[in-house]
């Protein structure tokens, strides 16, 4: 997620703020880095398009009870 943060800022543009709320000390995750980055880019672009007056996109990570990691993306748009 941190590797994609700079690209997300460029995709979001000037009117949408990208916020990261990343938990520390999470367990390692097996995932395709490129695909995960593409998912985050697509979600950020969709949020940007849905908020023409601006807003914020927040990407969060958290430990899941019982193990694993939760990744969530939220925006301040109406939808």
């Amino acid at each position: 997620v941190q590797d994609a943060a700079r690209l997300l800022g460029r995709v979001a543009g000037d009117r949408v703020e990208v916020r990261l709320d990343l938990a520390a000390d999470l367990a390692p995750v097996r995932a395709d880095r490129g695909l995960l980055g593409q998912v985050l880019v697509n979600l950020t672009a969709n949020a940007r398009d849905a908020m023409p007056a601006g807003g914020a996109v927040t990407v969060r990570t958290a430990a899941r009870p019982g193990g694993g990691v939760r990744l969530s993306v939220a925006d301040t748009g109406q939808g």
Side-chain angles (χ1 to χ4, degrees):
V1 173
Q2 288 177 331
D3 291 347
R6 195 174 352 193
L7 178 57
L8 298 181
R10 288 194 301 265
V11 168
D14 295 336
R15 290 174 287 177
V16 175
E17 176 187 1
V18 175
R19 300 174 183 163
L20 299 180
D21 182 9
L22 307 178
D25 300 326
L26 293 175
V29 175
R30 288 180 45 127
D32 184 304
R33 186 179 297 245
L35 289 177
L36 180 59
Q38 188 62 48
V39 167
L40 293 172
V41 165
N42 289 346
L43 290 170
T44 301
N46 290 345
R48 175 203 63 213
D49 294 345
M51 299 184 295
V57 174
T58 303
V59 180
R60 286 188 177 91
T61 59
R64 290 183 55 189
V69 174
R70 178 181 315 142
L71 172 66
S72 64
V73 180
D75 65 61
T76 58
Q78 293 180 327

